[in-house]
Amino acid sequence: MAHIEVKPAAGHIGAEISGADLAAPLADDEVEAIRAALHRWKVLFFREQYLDHAAHVALARRFGEPVTPGSRGSASPPDFPEVETTADRLELGGRFGMDHTEWLDRRRHTLRRGWHCDHGARIDPPAATILRAETVPPYGGDTTWANLAAAYAGLSAPLRAFADTLRAEHRLGVGYQPRAGEDAYVRHLLAHQTATVHPLVRVHPETGERLLFVNGYYLEQIRELSRTESGPLLELLLDQATRPEYTVRFRWEPGSVAFWDNRATIHLAPGDTAHLDHPRIMHRVMLAGEVPLGVDGKPSEPVTGPEPRHW
């Protein structure tokens, strides 16, 4: 453990880790030191880590159970079903008769739309994500994360108490603007509906922290409120979650690895690289998560979609 150095990257979230070779088997004390740093700083950054797919999966297994996504694109490695390659995202618009830019524009209806946790509409969102960079642009392409525990703690006491009592529906495809006439993506959404009523404040299963469980990508409506009441409150809470002081921004390099707690953070993928004509190839492995629990101890409620641990 003496080899591991934790250097905070921002006041509330993020730390750079040195002294660990992620391509080699980690010792038990190294695993525990990294896990403790993850609980404290929510997202960890490692530089000059040249993992292949096998080492990436092996690393993930030291911290949990990697999930096997049910649908991946042609860029993902066929021999490693746990690994997703982000270049697959560029194929998605084409599958539905749109270029990538139009597909994104129709899905992102607000400035906060891109902020999300991975697969937050599921009954059991992943516990963590490990993302490694293979090829990145010479500039641009940064990712930003926000600390949901700090965001909750930063609310006034009356608003925290109110939020503790509420639940909200998270749904895949919220806010999508359909194309005129036939729309293949609408058909896809109807065939793969995924929605869950999650607590607006969830309790972290390992640290016990209360987390403001909001995002701009999946969140539909607070169940106990009308739409006219729900909309402004969700906007306020999302603004709270993404306040600059609760965020950290990471500059990627080839060989960089980011390891984040998907329960305690939301993140924003970069939107400044499409015009650069330079590939950005990243590989992702996610760890299986549990059904969230609210402050009252009650679990999230499924609306539609896969059962826990079914991908």
Side-chain angles (χ1 to χ4, degrees):
M1 198 163 73
H3 300 297
I4 302 291
E5 182 179 353
V6 179
K7 183 180 179 181
H12 285 285
I13 179 174
E16 293 220 14
I17 306 297
S18 59
D21 181 3
L22 302 184
L26 294 175
D28 289 347
D29 58 355
E30 291 178 308
V31 169
E32 291 311 308
I34 292 171
R35 192 189 308 276
L38 183 66
H39 288 161
R40 171 62 181 88
W41 294 105
K42 315 309 182 196
V43 55
L44 305 179
F45 307 120
F46 303 80
R47 301 282 189 185
E48 299 181 354
Q49 302 285 334
Y50 300 103
L51 291 74
D52 57 17
H53 296 315
H56 193 166
V57 175
L59 170 67
R61 291 192 185 283
R62 293 292 276 137
F63 293 92
E65 175 190 350
V67 302
T68 301
S71 176
R72 301 183 304 155
S74 63
S76 291
D79 296 334
F80 296 91
E82 305 92 344
V83 179
E84 291 181 289
T85 296
T86 57
D88 289 336
R89 308 296 292 176
L90 299 177
E91 299 179 4
L92 288 176
R95 293 184 198 173
F96 306 116
M98 296 174 271
D99 64 29
H100 187 66
T101 299
E102 180 185 356
W103 184 67
L104 286 177
D105 285 344
R106 290 188 177 278
R107 291 165 62 235
R108 295 186 174 179
H109 61 294
T110 71
L111 292 175
R112 296 285 187 268
R113 173 68 168 166
W115 285 97
H116 68 287
C117 64
D118 289 332
H119 293 277
R122 289 179 55 93
I123 187 67
D124 59 341
T129 297
I130 303 175
L131 184 66
R132 80 180 202 269
E134 178 181 322
T135 303
V136 298
Y139 50 88
D142 299 357
T143 305
T144 307
W145 288 262
N147 183 337
L148 299 180
Y152 173 82
L155 291 171
S156 64
L159 189 50
R160 287 199 305 267
F162 183 43
D164 288 346
T165 69
L166 301 176
R167 292 182 167 248
E169 181 173 298
H170 298 236
R171 180 177 291 271
L172 183 63
V174 165
Y176 174 71
Q177 181 184 48
R179 303 181 103 194
E182 190 71 12
D183 190 315
Y185 189 57
V186 170
R187 294 201 309 271
H188 169 80
L189 290 173
L190 291 173
H192 300 85
Q193 291 186 68
T194 304
T196 304
V197 176
H198 288 304
L200 195 60
V201 178
R202 68 175 293 187
V203 178
H204 196 288
E206 296 178 76
T207 68
E209 293 172 295
R210 295 186 182 187
L211 311 166
L212 186 60
F213 196 27
V214 295
N215 68 79
Y217 190 80
Y218 298 108
L219 204 50
E220 168 75 356
Q221 182 184 356
I222 297 174
R223 273 293 180 93
E224 294 83 357
L225 305 182
S226 69
R227 282 188 175 272
T228 55
E229 295 169 331
S230 177
L233 180 56
L234 286 177
E235 184 175 355
L236 182 154
L237 295 176
L238 190 55
D239 283 346
Q240 169 73 4
T242 58
R243 282 170 53 173
E245 58 264 43
Y246 300 144
T247 68
V248 65
R249 181 167 176 156
F250 183 60
R251 176 76 192 99
W252 294 96
E253 299 170 346
S256 296
V257 172
F259 181 5
W260 68 89
D261 188 329
N262 193 55
R263 301 164 295 199
T265 63
I266 50 177
H267 59 280
L268 180 66
D272 62 346
T273 60
H275 64 292
L276 298 181
D277 194 27
H278 193 288
R280 184 179 186 271
I281 301 174
M282 320 283 279
H283 305 288
R284 176 176 77 170
V285 177
M286 298 176 292
L287 301 180
E290 58 290 304
V291 177
L293 297 179
V295 174
D296 57 6
K298 294 181 180 179
S300 299
E301 304 164 23
V303 177
T304 184
E307 296 180 356
R309 301 295 176 113
H310 285 74
W311 285 79

